[in-house]
């Protein structure tokens, strides 16, 4: 059981950590009354801890490794994105359910969404949850204002980055080199705004390692470190869509392992989690606890609601917010049936730890159920990213 996840911190000024064990903040409460000997996957009604919302398929760059390229193209052709009224109802449902964390991500670039994302979400009143923003940084200036930073709604801003110079940037994302400098300006403005407003927002970047930039990983790290961000995370890209071929080769991963160890100073646990190279026989979790204990969900631009991002295909949708409210979809018979199917996928060895950010979390819950580890103290939820599963 690894402590780290497929996305791991390589720099954190505040000592933050994205641990696979953050699910343990909510045990034993979510396990109360759960019969582990039963074949039933979902056995009670629980609200999701966190929900990821992908409001639009529109993006301002064309990265070859994009995990949603086919779906984005289809949704753009059909002009599908979350309608403004549906977005407002969705946020209201999250409030009703007591969701603790809402992340906005892609899909496309969430800040390209023209719906009421700023008014209803970033500047929402009396929200019971915190917000995580996943962006490529090109349109970041849309939320760089004092009102948003003082609202205390956003927990973190995470900018996906791919290059340390415009030449490499253009090569990877097929966009103008001017975007590279725009992102740099936005990052510097973000950090300055945080300081001026004394905001608690964690301002970070996530380095996406692909075939085109793997040999420059440490240079990319040093460049963004020099800009003064709070956090730097790293992840290797994966084959999320059918027929996709973007994952690093064995040779490229071996090169990275040396860089991670000698330059980054990453420990073996981190390296194994990020590269997916585990020389030990990896156990299969006893069940998909993330589904069973109803930890999380995702809402796509076309309105489909999913329980697992690697399996976000139509046949695994639990409903569509264009047809029913999220509150009606969550806990429905279809929700329970899909959870059973996803559990079978895991148990039959179909789930890939490199793609699933919850694989090691499922093993952590197995360890808790077996009495090998304890739950985590609630006082550390914020520092441990416990609102975002």
């Amino acid at each position: 059981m690894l402590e780290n996840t497929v996305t791991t911190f390589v720099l954190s000024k505040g000592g933050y950590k994205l641990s696979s064990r953050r699910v343990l903040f909510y045990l034993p409460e979510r396990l109360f009354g759960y019969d582990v000997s039963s074949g039933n996957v979902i056995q009670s009604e629980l609200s999701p801890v966190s929900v990821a919302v992908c409001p639009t398929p529109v993006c301002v760059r064309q990265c070859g490794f994009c995990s949603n390229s086919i779906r984005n193209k289809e949704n753009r052709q059909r002009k599908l994105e979350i309608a403004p009224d549906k977005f407002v109802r969705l946020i209201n449902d999250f409030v009703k359910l007591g969701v603790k964390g809402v992340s906005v991500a892609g899909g496309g670039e969430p800040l390209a969404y023209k719906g009421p994302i700023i008014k209803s979400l970033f500047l929402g009143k009396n929200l019971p949850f915190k917000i995580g923003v996943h962006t490529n940084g090109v349109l970041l200036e849309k939320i760089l204002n004092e009102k948003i930073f003082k609202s205390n709604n956003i927990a973190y801003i995470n900018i996906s980055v791919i290059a340390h110079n415009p030449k490499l940037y253009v090569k990877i994302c097929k966009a103008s080199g001017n975007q590279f400098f725009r992102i740099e300006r936005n990052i510097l403005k973000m950090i300055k705004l945080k300081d001026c407003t004394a905001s608690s927002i964690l301002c970070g970047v996530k380095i996406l390692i692909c075939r085109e930039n793997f040999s420059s990983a440490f240079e990319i790290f040093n460049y963004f470190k020099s800009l003064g961000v709070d956090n730097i995370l790293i992840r290797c890209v994966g084959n999320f869509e059918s027929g996709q071929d973007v994952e690093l080769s064995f040779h490229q991963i071996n090169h990275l392992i040396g860089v991670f160890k000698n330059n980054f100073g990453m420990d073996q646990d981190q390296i194994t989690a990020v590269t997916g190279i585990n020389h030990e026989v990896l156990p299969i979790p006893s069940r998909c606890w993330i589904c069973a204990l109803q930890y999380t969900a995702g809402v796509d631009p076309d309105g489909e609601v999913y329980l697992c991002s690697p399996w976000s295909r139509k046949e695994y949708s639990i409903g569509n917010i264009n047809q029913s409210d999220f509150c009606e979809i969550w806990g429905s018979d279809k929700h329970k049936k899909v959870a059973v199917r996803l559990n079978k996928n895991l148990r039959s060895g179909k789930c890939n730890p490199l793609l699933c950010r919850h694989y090691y979390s499922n093993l952590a819950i197995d360890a808790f159920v077996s009495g090998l580890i304890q739950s985590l103290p609630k006082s550390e939820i914020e520092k441990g990213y416990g609102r975002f599963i």
Side-chain angles (χ1 to χ4, degrees), residues 267-284:
D267 61 35
Q268 189 56 51
D269 188 283
Q270 285 182 298
I271 294 171
T272 299
V274 172
T275 63
I277 302 298
N278 197 327
H279 297 293
E280 299 179 3
V281 177
L282 192 63
I284 294 177

Side-chain angles (χ1 to χ4, degrees), residues 32-187:
F32 181 76
Y34 196 93
D35 182 2
V36 295
S37 65
S38 169
N40 293 332
V41 178
I42 292 179
Q43 299 180 15
S44 62
E45 294 184 9
L46 298 167
S47 294
V49 174
S50 65
V51 183
V53 181
C54 303
T56 180
V58 176
C59 194
V60 292
R61 61 189 195 190
Q62 300 175 38
C63 301
F65 58 78
C66 178
S67 60
N68 289 271
S69 58
I70 297 174
R71 287 166 287 182
N72 283 344
K73 183 178 180 180
E74 291 175 350
N75 285 331
R76 286 196 300 268
Q77 289 174 342
R78 298 167 63 194
K79 297 181 179 180
L80 293 177
E81 68 174 18
I82 299 178
D85 62 320
K86 297 296 182 183
F87 187 85
V88 173
R89 292 178 72 91
L90 187 62
I91 301 305
N92 289 338
D93 277 355
F94 295 162
V95 173
K96 291 177 187 175
L97 288 169
V99 172
K100 300 183 184 303
V102 174
S103 57
V104 288
E109 164 53 43
L111 297 182
Y113 179 56
K114 292 182 171 59
I117 192 169
I118 292 178
K119 182 179 179 180
S120 298
L121 193 58
F122 299 134
L123 290 176
K125 302 295 184 182
N126 303 313
L127 298 179
F129 53 77
K130 292 290 186 181
I131 303 162
V133 182
H134 295 259
T135 172
N136 59 35
V138 178
L139 303 176
L140 186 61
E141 64 265 21
K142 290 180 66 174
I143 61 170
L144 295 182
N145 66 65
E146 289 192 6
K147 280 188 177 181
I148 290 177
F149 269 57
K150 288 181 176 179
S151 70
N152 201 35
N153 285 336
I154 297 177
Y156 67 85
I157 297 173
N158 195 350
I159 303 170
S160 296
V161 297
I162 51 178
H164 60 306
N165 59 56
K167 183 178 180 180
L168 183 58
Y169 183 90
V170 171
K171 179 180 180 181
I172 295 174
C173 68
K174 309 296 187 295
S176 167
N178 291 330
Q179 281 190 4
F180 174 85
F181 296 107
R182 185 175 176 181
I183 294 168
E184 181 183 75
R185 290 193 299 270
N186 283 340
I187 290 175

Side-chain angles (χ1 to χ4, degrees), residues 211-225:
R211 292 173 180 175
E212 293 81 7
N213 70 6
F214 78 96
S215 60
S216 301
F218 195 57
E219 288 80 4
I220 296 172
F221 167 81
N222 281 327
Y223 165 71
F224 286 102
K225 181 181 178 181

Side-chain angles (χ1 to χ4, degrees), residues 7 36 77 85 88 205 286 335-336 347 385:
T7 302
V36 295
Q77 289 174 342
D85 62 320
V88 173
V205 300
S286 66
H335 178 175
K336 296 172 183 175
R347 293 294 300 146
Y385 281 80

